[in-house]
Amino acid sequence: MHIMAGLKPEASEEVYLENIKYAAERLQKEGILALIEPVNSKLTLPDYFLDTCPQALTYIKKIDHPNLKLQLDLFHLQIMSGNLTSMIKEYLPYTGHIQLAQVPDRHEPNSPGEINFPYVFKVLEEADYKGWIGLEYNPKGSTVESLSWMSEMGYKTSTC
């Protein structure tokens, strides 16, 4: 479960850390993973308290709770730091969930943009990432049409 950080200057680091620790402990009792997600402050939320992966990793290490992980959103990571290959490899051991969208327009992975998703998926496969990948994009067309990138990139799809 993504635990939101709040906005600056309302958010206090001390209170945030206490709340994240409490949430990680409480959610663990229910079998739910606690996730924190840096959200870019350049395009999406200018006043968001948690806006970089180094900041999130510092908090994860400081809290040091086994039920607290990083929600690694490649859209936000690309905007804030770029260098996705190195960043993915660095943050993957602390990651509990990955999300993606193309930069800058937040569309599906096969839309024009900054991220080479076939390469990124190869990096994740080579790193043996076995977790979920969430699709947090705004489809250019219908949701079903927007999923065509999966088969175009060689991934199996099914309908419910």
Side-chain angles (χ1 to χ4, degrees):
M1 175 181 287
H2 176 194
I3 313 300
M4 301 291 287
L7 302 176
K8 301 173 195 173
E10 298 168 11
S12 156
E13 183 175 70
E14 182 181 339
V15 171
Y16 177 68
L17 292 175
E18 289 172 11
N19 289 343
I20 292 299
K21 184 176 181 180
Y22 172 80
E25 291 170 358
R26 179 66 181 94
L27 290 170
Q28 186 175 34
K29 292 176 184 176
E30 303 299 327
I32 300 170
L33 184 62
L35 301 166
I36 58 174
E37 176 188 5
V39 176
N40 83 78
S41 57
K42 293 180 180 178
L43 294 177
T44 305
L45 283 171
D47 294 324
Y48 198 65
F49 178 73
L50 181 62
D51 64 350
T52 68
C53 281
Q55 181 187 16
L57 186 56
T58 296
Y59 295 155
I60 288 169
K61 288 179 176 181
K62 190 172 189 174
I63 293 169
D64 192 30
H65 195 284
N67 196 50
L68 177 62
K69 299 286 184 185
L70 177 65
Q71 182 163 296
L72 187 61
D73 189 313
L74 302 182
F75 174 82
H76 297 304
L77 182 60
Q78 172 64 12
I79 290 169
M80 293 303 287
S81 64
N83 196 17
L84 288 180
T85 301
S86 294
M87 297 294 101
I88 289 168
K89 290 176 182 178
E90 179 178 350
Y91 297 119
L92 210 53
Y94 305 94
T95 298
H97 181 71
I98 292 176
Q99 292 183 164
L100 58 83
Q102 187 58 274
V103 176
D105 295 324
R106 203 174 190 108
H107 293 308
E108 46 269 53
N110 63 346
S111 62
E114 298 176 15
I115 302 176
N116 178 346
F117 277 104
Y119 175 77
V120 167
F121 293 142
K122 181 180 174 198
V123 169
L124 291 170
E125 288 171 8
E126 288 174 354
D128 203 33
Y129 178 70
K130 301 286 187 205
W132 292 97
I133 298 177
L135 310 177
E136 193 181 37
Y137 58 76
N138 300 315
K140 287 176 140 182
S142 74
T143 299
V144 172
E145 290 169 348
S146 80
L147 298 173
S148 67
W149 66 267
M150 288 188 219
S151 59
E152 290 171 12
M153 292 185 195
Y155 295 97
K156 293 181 182 179
T157 61
S158 63
T159 57
C160 297

